[in-house]
Amino acid sequence: MDQIVNVDEFQELAKQALPKMYYDFYNGGAEDQHTLKENVLAFRRIMLRPRVLVDVSKIDMSTTILGYPVSSPIMIAPTALHKLAHPEGEIATAKAAAACNTIMIVSFMSTCTIEEVASSCNAVRFLQIYVYKRRDVTAQIVKKAEKAGFKAIVLTVDVPRLGRREADIKNKMISPQLKNFEGLVSTEVRPNEGSGLEAFASNALDASLSWKDIEWLRSITKLPILVKGLLTREDALKAVETGVDGIVVSNHGARQLDYSPATITVLEEVVHVVRGRIPVLLDGGVRRGTDVFKALALGAQAVLIGRPIVYGLAAKGEDGVKKVIEMLKNELEITMALSGCPTIDDITRNHVRTENERLRSML
């Protein structure tokens, strides 16, 4: 691992380590994969505005998320089926998160049980959920998480149906039976053709889910509720009005609706509407410490890392996940020092210049 100098290099190692079906599952996006590319490229069009002659002899990256202290504003996004990447699955990821003093959002589609993840190490963690047509399934998983000491529920709201992921259709991707659902519902679907995941999702997910159902979710848990998958100021305002505890600006890693905007391009409109009333987090396309810095400058409280975590897991297990997080933290620390920002609170909107601002200045 000494030769690896940035997180993108883990992707190539993961490609070598994984069967094609599984690599394509983690790597792929929806349809033409336009948004998949844009999530990364949009960060590159934002320029930094460094300030100099600031005392940066000490850099403090620590912050809090929902009141829980973390070593940096870099969290682990919910991603499914970690045992397809590594035999230890989500347990290895959870241990890496704990070692790096950050929060892991465990996927509803985890291959390790909630209890296994909870008992693997002592750390703050959240649970991501989908709402199934059978509401009792979701309710029982939420209760399990609450009992196991999870600290928040992250409701993914951009999957009334599964996006069209053509690599999974070609590969006839199969969803394994998940232990969290044993005795509740079968997650193993083997269609005659196409993606087993798509077949399972269309059978299981509740496409009627709407804003009024936030009340239902609140009725079954005392945990804070974040909604993940918002991309517009209108939905952000609705989320605040509904009384949720946080927002994740996300296009589901570009796996749902192709030609939806890159998340970093819509972050600011969400932040403006929220006006600091609840935390706004962001995922999608974060590959560098400079990306983390840009997201913070545009108003995110933290970023969630998805694919790089899975690539690190596939390549080197728990150590690979730790290495990905530490690399991003190191890059963020350097970016803060070279931009004149000794603490997270010192990162302001004045430290970045977006593409639109550059274009306006040229007129």
Side-chain angles (χ1 to χ4, degrees), residues 59-65 68-75 96-103 325-326 329 332 336 344:
I59 300 291
D60 182 3
M61 294 183 289
S62 65
T63 186
T64 60
I65 308 296
Y68 296 105
V70 287
S71 62
S72 78
I74 299 167
M75 299 165 57
C100 295
N101 188 21
T102 193
I103 296 170
I325 297 168
E326 293 300 341
K329 282 172 68 174
L332 175 60
M336 288 171 66
I344 295 297

Side-chain angles (χ1 to χ4, degrees), residues 272-346:
H272 281 163
V273 167
V274 170
R275 298 203 316 270
R277 287 173 283 184
I278 54 176
V280 176
L281 314 178
L282 172 133
D283 73 8
V286 176
R287 299 293 183 271
R288 286 282 189 184
T290 46
D291 298 339
V292 181
F293 185 95
K294 291 169 186 178
L296 298 177
L298 291 172
Q301 194 171 334
V303 300
L304 315 181
I305 311 298
R307 284 184 181 87
I309 295 293
V310 176
Y311 296 148
L313 180 67
K316 300 289 179 182
E318 180 186 336
D319 287 340
V321 176
K322 276 195 282 203
K323 182 84 168 172
V324 166
I325 297 168
E326 293 300 341
M327 277 182 164
L328 291 171
K329 282 172 68 174
N330 290 341
E331 290 177 4
L332 175 60
E333 185 176 9
I334 291 167
T335 305
M336 288 171 66
L338 296 179
S339 299
C341 299
T343 72
I344 295 297
D345 289 341
D346 293 315

Side-chain angles (χ1 to χ4, degrees), residues 27-220:
N27 181 56
E31 297 187 353
D32 297 327
Q33 304 192 119
H34 171 81
T35 300
L36 183 66
K37 299 179 194 89
E38 272 297 299
N39 267 355
V40 173
L41 293 174
F43 274 105
R44 296 181 187 173
R45 293 192 286 266
I46 300 169
M47 294 293 111
L48 301 178
R49 299 185 71 248
R51 303 300 303 272
V52 296
L53 293 176
V54 177
D55 180 356
V56 289
S57 55
K58 290 190 178 69
I59 300 291
D60 182 3
M61 294 183 289
S62 65
T63 186
T64 60
I65 308 296
L66 294 185
Y68 296 105
V70 287
S71 62
S72 78
I74 299 167
M75 299 165 57
I76 295 182
T79 48
L81 310 178
H82 282 201
K83 276 193 178 177
L84 301 187
H86 189 274
E88 291 173 33
E90 287 79 7
I91 287 173
T93 311
K95 285 179 176 176
C100 295
N101 188 21
T102 193
I103 296 170
M104 175 186 179
I105 305 176
V106 179
S107 170
F108 200 60
M109 304 297 285
S110 166
T111 42
C112 296
T113 67
I114 283 166
E115 294 82 3
E116 284 170 343
V117 175
S119 62
S120 67
C121 54
N122 189 26
V124 173
R125 55 184 73 84
F126 302 166
L127 178 72
Q128 174 260 346
I129 65 163
Y130 295 106
V131 174
Y132 281 9
K133 290 173 185 172
R134 275 187 54 197
R135 295 286 174 96
D136 62 304
V137 173
T138 299
Q140 287 197 50
I141 299 292
V142 167
K143 286 189 174 66
K144 276 188 183 188
E146 214 166 12
K147 190 175 175 187
F150 282 63
K151 301 301 185 189
I153 298 297
V154 180
L155 173 65
T156 292
V157 294
D158 57 0
V159 191
R161 293 176 62 175
L162 205 68
R164 186 174 169 79
R165 304 166 193 175
E166 294 178 359
D168 291 347
I169 295 168
K170 279 184 181 172
N171 292 332
K172 297 185 167 55
M173 176 65 190
I174 296 161
S175 174
Q177 179 64 38
L178 303 176
K179 287 195 285 183
N180 275 316
F181 298 97
E182 277 178 8
L184 295 174
V185 64
S186 174
T187 53
E188 192 168 25
V189 179
R190 292 176 182 270
N192 294 329
E193 57 183 39
S195 164
L197 289 174
E198 194 173 1
F200 167 69
S202 63
N203 287 338
L205 297 179
D206 187 353
S208 75
L209 191 71
S210 66
W211 285 107
K212 64 179 172 28
D213 294 308
I214 301 292
E215 278 306 312
W216 167 78
L217 185 56
R218 197 177 280 110
S219 75
I220 65 166

